Amino acid sequence: MTSGVLLALIAALFSSLKGIARKHASDHFTSVEIGYMGQVYGAILLLPLGVWRYLETGFNLTPGVLTAVLISTAVILSSTYLYIEALRITDISVTEPLRNTSPIFVALLEPLILGISFKTVLIAAAVLGSAGAYILVSRDSLLTPLENMNNRGAILSITVAFILAVYSIAQRFAATNTDPLLFIYITYVTSLVGFWLWKKHETEENVKPRSYLRKDVFAVGTTTALGVVAGIYAYSIITASEVTVIKQTSAIFSVIIGGKYFKEDDLIRKLVGAAVIVLGVALVAI
């Protein structure tokens, strides 16, 4: 196993652990509070990376890059909030694999937004992604699962996958105009400010101020930051397509951990659904 593969697997594992930390924290905090503190701890841990890249490359804030920053900030705010809401009401062994369908949406959107040629393999990938999602939400029988497709947590997770696809495309645009690592850190900071303003409004409305010096919210920021770092270094060692496929194993990790940690049921069915989604993503990345 190469170091790049190992780092991509570590990034996948941290993605699953982040979901667990968020689900655990959702028992004690609002989704906005979890998003805010996750960005605070993450921004602190990634500060050396941001300073290093700024000193090395500076920051070229063109109108296009500014637009990408604003879009990315809006995506981080909305996707984080919606995904934590999904975790509140649905098993992590369902939400994480569905969120991992994002690369399929990226591949479908890129030809429309960036003018990249359409690949016919995307049809097979989309079918596999849909089939995996179908299996995941089919609790009683694969013959009569459509009634479960109105599962609000599943719908939120798929919505998050679509939103994250927009974020990925914004990142790819920014990467051609500025340092990608610095761009990631700047969007961390801008989304932190966004969550702070959102939390301030929420506190004024109906939430009392409270201490965030807790292990669960610290774990959200830590797992996010470490996953970002592991993923970044993986991309520097192996190809982006290899990293994309390997990172989707977080869907498998989440099903296994969800069963062990949260005592979620139907693990075999969920593993099959997650594996089908991973296969669909692999077709996109190959």
Side-chain angles (χ1 to χ4, degrees), residues 66-84:
L66 176 60
T67 300
V69 169
L70 293 176
I71 291 174
S72 297
T73 301
V75 164
I76 291 172
L77 292 173
S78 58
S79 63
T80 301
Y81 176 83
L82 291 175
Y83 189 61
I84 295 172

Side-chain angles (χ1 to χ4, degrees), residues 124-258:
V127 169
L128 285 172
S130 300
Y134 188 85
I135 294 170
L136 280 171
V137 299
S138 306
R139 179 172 295 276
D140 299 319
S141 171
L142 290 179
L143 298 178
T144 56
L146 291 177
E147 61 189 45
N148 295 312
M149 291 300 288
N150 63 358
N151 181 312
R152 182 167 175 265
I155 293 172
L156 287 175
S157 300
I158 294 173
T159 302
V160 168
F162 180 82
I163 294 173
L164 289 177
V166 176
Y167 177 48
S168 295
I169 293 172
Q171 278 186 311
R172 294 188 186 192
F173 171 81
T176 62
N177 294 275
T178 190
D179 183 82
L181 302 185
L182 184 58
F183 176 80
I184 289 173
Y185 187 74
I186 287 174
T187 55
Y188 236 100
V189 175
T190 55
S191 57
L192 187 161
V193 173
F195 269 121
W196 177 76
L197 293 172
W198 193 349
K199 184 181 75 69
K200 189 173 184 296
H201 172 73
E202 184 179 69
T203 301
E204 291 174 351
E205 290 292 322
N206 53 20
V207 178
K208 295 181 179 180
R210 45 191 163 180
S211 173
Y212 299 117
L213 298 176
R214 291 174 52 97
K215 292 180 180 179
D216 44 14
V217 287
F218 178 72
V220 173
T222 302
T223 52
T224 302
L226 292 178
V228 167
V229 172
I232 287 170
Y233 281 104
Y235 279 115
S236 69
I237 299 172
I238 58 179
T239 66
S241 60
E242 290 173 319
V243 175
T244 299
V245 174
I246 295 169
K247 285 181 66 178
Q248 302 317 304
T249 56
S250 65
I252 307 296
F253 290 143
S254 294
V255 172
I256 296 172
I257 295 173

Side-chain angles (χ1 to χ4, degrees), residues 45-101:
L45 290 168
L46 292 174
L47 179 60
L49 176 67
V51 172
W52 168 55
R53 296 315 302 164
Y54 179 75
L55 294 176
E56 285 283 325
T57 66
F59 187 63
N60 184 24
L61 189 61
T62 64
V65 172
L66 176 60
T67 300
V69 169
L70 293 176
I71 291 174
S72 297
T73 301
V75 164
I76 291 172
L77 292 173
S78 58
S79 63
T80 301
Y81 176 83
L82 291 175
Y83 189 61
I84 295 172
E85 288 296 299
L87 286 170
R88 290 183 190 279
I89 56 179
T90 306
D91 292 348
I92 191 174
S93 52
V94 171
T95 57
E96 183 70 12
L98 292 179
R99 187 178 68 88
N100 278 21
T101 59

Side-chain angles (χ1 to χ4, degrees), residues 28 40 55 108 174 181 234 261:
H28 309 283
V40 168
L55 294 176
L108 292 171
L181 302 185
Y261 189 81

Side-chain angles (χ1 to χ4, degrees), residues 110-122:
E110 275 186 332
L112 300 175
I113 298 176
L114 300 181
I116 298 173
S117 60
F118 183 82
K119 299 178 181 178
T120 54
V121 71
L122 293 180

